[in-house]
Amino acid sequence: MSIKIALAGNPNCGKTTLFNGLTGSNQFVGNWPGVTVEKKEGRLKGNKDVIIMDLPGIYSLSPYTLEEVVARNYLITERPDVILNIVDGTNLERNLYLSTQLMELGIPVLMAVNMMDIVKKYGDEINIGQLSKKLGCPVVEISALKGTGIMEAAGQAVALAAQSRQNAAVHKFSADVEAVLEEIERCLGDGIPEEQKRFYAIKLFERDDKITARMSMVPDVEHLIRRTEEALDDDAESIITNERYTYIASIIDGCYRRKHRQKLSTSDKIDHVVTNRFLALPIFALVMWLVYYVSVSTVGTWATDWTNDGLFGEGWEMFGRWVPGIPVIVGDFLASVNCAGWLSSLILDGIVAGVGAVLGFVPQMLVLFIFLAFLEACGYMARVAFIMDRIFRKFGLSGKSFIPMLIGTGCGVPGIMASRTIENDRDRKMTIMTTTFIPCGAKLPIIALFAGALFGGASWVAPSAYFVGIAAIICSGIILKKTKLFAGDPAPFVMELPAYHMPTAVNVLRSMWERGWSFIKKAGTVILLSTIFIWFTSSFGFVDGSFGMVEDLSDGLLAVIGRGISWIFAPLGWGSWQAAVAAITGLVAKENVVGTFGILFGFAKVAEDGQEIWGTMAQTFTAVSAYSFLVFNLLCAPCFAAIGAIKREMNNAKWTWFAIGYQTALAYAVSLCIYQLGTWFTTGTFGIGAAVALLVIALFIYLMVRPYREGRSLTARLSAGKAV
């Protein structure tokens, strides 16, 4: 029979690192039933009968956020065999608040005090034996980052789960509160297991509406709560909170000795610089420029060129031998078996050219993912959320909205899903609408393609794409907050800033591989099917009244479709049917933009840097129109998978269409201004297009500076659908 261990702890306590260390590659990622909060489950290394559930990082079991609701419901309904409570040893008092709640659930609890290496480095002392005695539950020391003591902790958790009863002592509140809790426990009757009654009693005392509704609280209890509140001159929730901290303080006094420090810690010294009011943003801009410069313009470019020229090109010379690339090998094989012409074209011009054009950029993406994983693991990205809170709050959002955007740098789908952490419904909707403005991994091939092909690998192209996304978010926040749809103060932002530390290579590489493998799997499924469709519609068409394979791609079905819609994009500078088709296929998956060009222009020419690509792409783009195309694809409606995530999160078709419409309209307006004004500045020719662009900018500025007005009609139309 399997044993279930639930990992519970505060955010940034090292819970995910411990989960990775205990499960290794035996992990399964999905969503909690009914919600889109990520659910991680794994099996203990060396013991497949032990299932480990990684609960969302939470500060308490009070139902303020969806994560807290998910964690609480799992614990009280699923009833794991044991809770492995991870506690940050450097913030013991704050972490013990959740611990006191966990012990009231009646489930065996094993406390693992993490980061003990840092505690000892600071000269602090935690008396583990005394802490265990006072709490009434076993306590162990671990260092999840270094892997110290983690398997021993898992072994003790398994042994504790085998015990038939819970030995943990439940702390006592003051006499007045205790009397009320005992009366509520008595009133709950036989419908609640004995070991859970205290937890439910406390939740009823705290006026937890969802628990109250589930328990159908006995009316007699209400006057007890009011009497206690009057006696202690405070509300019930505050009373319980104060009592908890009083209890925690009594434990800390005898178990934790903190060394007196006159000097600032290394993390504090670094934060004085990187979170400085004036230096924070320039440093952040410099860091992101460096990340994208290395990923796209130097190391990433070298790795991508090596891959494209070799693996997906003619081949390369290795160890004195010429090794042919995949197109050469596949082409020779197809020729040797006398493959039919249409099938050979499908494989070489469709699958190899389309999918290969996308996979050729994987090295650049892996370099970018390594940098992002390092910045997240070392603690810097948590500071960025703090920095962005100062900015976002001025424009109607909080730093909490930056977390989904940060996650969205890998993929927009989990970024959109992460918006569930935002309590304020208006802020959550706005975050969903703007998260995909930040370039995700799928958009990096588009950035790399145009940076290398039309801008000579200029170092400013890739970072500018990132900051165009942030600018779009800020401007959207200003504009949307002036409507009744999104009016209101942003939600408060509370976030733990972990101490800076050097991430382990294993964790960084695991994070990089998870993101990269997700991209590769998409290339092997969605993009493969898309490229086959693109090849068929571009290679077949009607010529002289008969349908068949065409020699000129401009006679294919895709060209007919492209010419039918290309007029829409002509004001943006890229009215050719190839560019129009590439933009539309990007709705299926953004990687399809590169794959489409790979088929329509020939893979070898798209993949390589230099004059060949310039000669081919210059027939479709100028430098200004290329940047217009790039910005449009960065800001417009995301891929189908992300649109599906928006639909799930909005839970309303009208809100989904509003989000897609807003994203596409903003992308069109910005791209129009870039091309029309860019052409005016570079050629000196002022035309109707430039005049329209100036009017668009004037309207944009008006929407940003105008006083607040309630958009009643728009609110009424959108609210007519199903409420979220």
Side-chain angles (χ1 to χ4, degrees):
M1 183 176 179
S2 61
I3 294 176
K4 291 185 179 180
I5 300 177
L7 301 186
N10 289 180
N12 296 312
C13 69
K15 184 167 54 64
T16 300
T17 304
L18 176 62
F19 177 75
N20 292 334
L22 293 177
T23 60
S25 59
N26 304 315
Q27 300 178 11
F28 311 93
V29 179
N31 292 329
W32 292 95
V35 296
T36 50
V37 173
E38 191 175 82
K39 173 184 182 181
K40 278 192 174 183
E41 182 179 324
R43 294 188 180 270
L44 181 65
K45 290 189 293 187
N47 192 339
K48 303 302 182 184
D49 291 332
V50 177
I51 300 173
I52 299 178
M53 180 65 69
D54 184 17
L55 296 179
I58 56 176
Y59 290 105
S60 75
L61 292 179
S62 300
Y64 295 121
T65 68
L66 186 64
E67 282 89 347
E68 290 168 348
V69 173
V70 164
R72 186 193 65 185
N73 289 347
Y74 174 80
L75 291 172
I76 64 178
T77 58
E78 296 295 326
R79 303 289 297 173
D81 297 292
V82 64
I83 298 173
L84 183 52
N85 176 212
I86 300 89
V87 171
D88 178 1
T90 62
N91 289 288
L92 191 59
E93 183 175 6
R94 177 182 50 74
N95 280 238
L96 287 180
Y97 188 90
L98 174 64
S99 302
T100 62
Q101 293 182 319
L102 295 175
M103 292 175 187
E104 291 159 359
L105 290 170
I107 302 172
V109 175
L110 171 67
M111 181 178 293
V113 183
N114 191 23
M115 305 183 192
M116 285 301 296
D117 53 328
I118 300 177
V119 172
K120 294 174 182 177
K121 179 182 176 181
Y122 288 163
D124 299 339
E125 294 181 9
I126 298 177
N127 189 325
I128 297 297
Q130 187 70 11
L131 182 62
S132 175
K133 182 179 179 181
K134 287 196 171 188
L135 288 173
C137 72
V139 181
V140 296
E141 298 182 7
I142 67 168
S143 174
L145 187 64
K146 296 184 177 180
T148 306
I150 62 173
M151 297 308 295
E152 292 79 1
Q156 289 196 38
V158 172
L160 183 60
Q163 297 180 7
S164 59
R165 63 189 180 88
Q166 161 70 329
N167 296 320
V170 179
H171 67 273
K172 296 294 183 180
F173 297 104
S174 64
D176 290 334
V177 179
E178 198 65 41
V180 175
L181 295 178
E182 289 177 359
E183 184 63 21
I184 295 176
E185 288 182 59
R186 184 188 63 78
C187 293
L188 287 175
D190 299 328
I192 306 297
E194 201 64 37
E195 64 272 15
Q196 294 184 47
K197 280 190 176 182
R198 186 174 183 80
F199 172 77
Y200 280 103
I202 293 173
K203 284 298 170 186
L204 290 173
F205 185 70
E206 290 181 333
R207 311 290 181 90
D208 185 330
D209 294 335
K210 292 187 177 180
I211 294 293
T212 301
R214 288 175 59 183
M215 295 300 102
S216 301
M217 188 174 73
V218 180
D220 292 345
V221 174
E222 185 67 26
H223 80 277
L224 292 172
I225 295 176
R226 287 199 302 268
R227 188 184 68 189
T228 306
E229 289 178 331
E230 292 171 0
L232 298 178
D233 194 26
D234 208 343
D235 64 276
E237 186 174 4
S238 297
I239 292 170
I240 290 289
T241 301
N242 292 335
E243 292 292 334
R244 287 193 195 281
Y245 277 117
T246 300
Y247 170 69
I248 292 170
S250 68
I251 295 176
I252 294 292
D253 288 342
C255 302
Y256 184 35
R257 189 166 65 86
R258 190 180 183 91
K259 183 179 179 181
H260 180 68
R261 301 187 189 94
Q262 293 182 340
K263 296 182 179 179
L264 293 174
S265 66
T266 303
S267 289
D268 292 334
K269 292 177 181 178
I270 296 175
D271 281 339
H272 271 301
V273 178
V274 299
T275 62
N276 181 274
R277 181 176 297 275
F278 303 104
L279 297 178
L281 282 179
I283 290 174
F284 174 55
L286 179 62
V287 168
M288 296 313 299
W289 174 84
L290 183 63
V291 166
Y292 277 92
Y293 175 72
V294 175
S295 301
V296 177
S297 301
T298 55
V299 176
T301 297
W302 173 82
T304 293
D305 288 345
W306 186 83
T307 303
N308 284 330
D309 295 340
L311 187 61
F312 297 110
E314 295 297 323
W316 55 74
E317 187 176 346
M318 297 178 64
F319 308 109
R321 295 181 54 195
W322 181 259
V323 180
I326 290 178
V328 176
I329 296 174
V330 174
D332 292 343
F333 173 76
L334 295 177
S336 67
V337 297
N338 295 320
C339 183
W342 68 269
L343 182 57
S344 177
S345 176
L346 167 62
I347 296 173
L348 288 175
D349 301 331
I351 297 174
V352 175
V355 177
V358 176
L359 292 181
F361 291 97
V362 167
Q364 284 181 327
M365 297 179 63
L366 294 181
V367 174
L368 174 64
F369 291 159
I370 283 180
F371 275 108
L372 293 178
F374 179 86
L375 292 175
E376 290 173 15
C378 74
Y380 177 69
M381 280 304 188
R383 271 76 180 176
V384 173
F386 168 73
I387 295 167
M388 297 307 294
D389 180 64
R390 281 191 237 152
I391 300 173
F392 280 15
R393 192 161 294 277
K394 297 180 184 297
F395 308 120
L397 290 172
S398 73
K400 195 169 251 189
S401 297
F402 185 76
I403 305 300
M405 297 166 192
L406 174 61
I407 297 173
T409 56
C411 177
V413 174
I416 293 168
M417 288 163 51
S419 65
R420 280 282 180 121
T421 62
I422 302 173
E423 302 91 342
N424 186 294
D425 184 63
R426 292 185 295 261
D427 291 356
R428 186 172 62 83
K429 286 187 172 74
M430 191 188 301
T431 302
I432 292 171
M433 291 175 56
T434 56
T435 289
T436 55
F437 289 157
I438 296 290
C440 65
K443 295 175 183 176
L444 184 64
I446 308 175
I447 298 171
L449 171 63
F450 281 90
L454 292 172
F455 296 97
S459 62
W460 60 269
V461 177
S464 71
Y466 187 86
F467 290 109
V468 163
I470 291 182
I473 292 169
I474 292 175
C475 293
S476 296
I478 297 174
I479 293 173
L480 295 176
K481 271 293 181 179
K482 293 180 181 292
T483 67
K484 187 178 180 181
L485 281 171
F486 301 98
D489 295 330
F493 178 53
V494 178
M495 183 180 185
E496 180 72 17
L497 294 181
Y500 289 102
H501 59 271
M502 183 61 66
T504 61
V506 173
N507 288 333
V508 171
L509 292 176
R510 179 185 284 115
S511 176
M512 174 209 70
W513 177 246
E514 287 176 354
R515 289 175 170 177
W517 180 239
S518 176
F519 176 85
I520 294 171
K521 284 191 294 185
K522 187 189 290 186
T525 53
V526 176
I527 300 173
L528 173 62
L529 295 176
S530 300
T531 54
I532 292 175
F533 172 79
I534 294 167
W535 168 84
F536 176 80
T537 53
S538 62
S539 299
F540 286 81
F542 291 92
V543 178
D544 298 329
S546 62
F547 181 79
M549 199 168 184
V550 298
E551 295 183 2
D552 189 347
L553 295 182
S554 61
D555 295 327
L557 295 174
L558 197 63
V560 175
I561 298 172
R563 282 192 288 268
I565 61 174
S566 60
W567 62 271
I568 299 174
F569 305 106
L572 311 186
W574 36 281
S576 69
W577 68 268
Q578 294 97 332
V581 165
I584 297 302
T585 58
L587 290 175
V588 179
K590 289 301 178 182
E591 304 92 328
N592 276 340
V593 173
V594 175
T596 302
F597 283 135
I599 295 172
L600 299 181
F601 289 151
F603 168 67
K605 294 179 181 179
V606 172
E608 296 173 7
D609 191 11
Q611 293 302 314
E612 287 188 16
I613 179 62
W614 178 268
T616 304
M617 298 289 282
Q619 298 175 15
T620 303
F621 297 98
T622 64
V624 176
S625 65
Y627 199 75
S628 168
F629 181 88
L630 177 62
V631 169
F632 180 84
N633 281 275
L634 293 179
L635 301 182
C636 76
C639 64
F640 283 173
I643 291 175
I646 292 175
K647 174 63 172 65
R648 289 194 301 272
E649 295 303 318
M650 293 292 195
N651 196 26
N652 185 313
K654 291 184 179 181
W655 269 107
T656 302
W657 283 112
F658 175 67
I660 295 172
Y662 175 80
Q663 293 166 340
T664 305
L666 179 66
Y668 194 95
V670 174
S671 298
L672 174 72
C673 294
I674 289 175
Y675 175 71
Q676 296 295 342
L677 297 182
T679 302
W680 176 27
F681 294 150
T682 55
T683 65
T685 303
F686 183 86
I688 297 178
V692 173
L694 290 176
L695 290 176
V696 170
I697 292 177
L699 175 62
F700 206 67
I701 294 173
Y702 167 73
L703 292 175
M704 293 178 66
V705 301
R706 74 188 180 105
Y708 166 73
R709 292 180 182 176
E710 295 184 353
R712 297 183 183 278
S713 60
L714 184 59
T715 303
R717 289 197 300 270
L718 289 173
S719 299
K722 182 181 177 182
V724 177

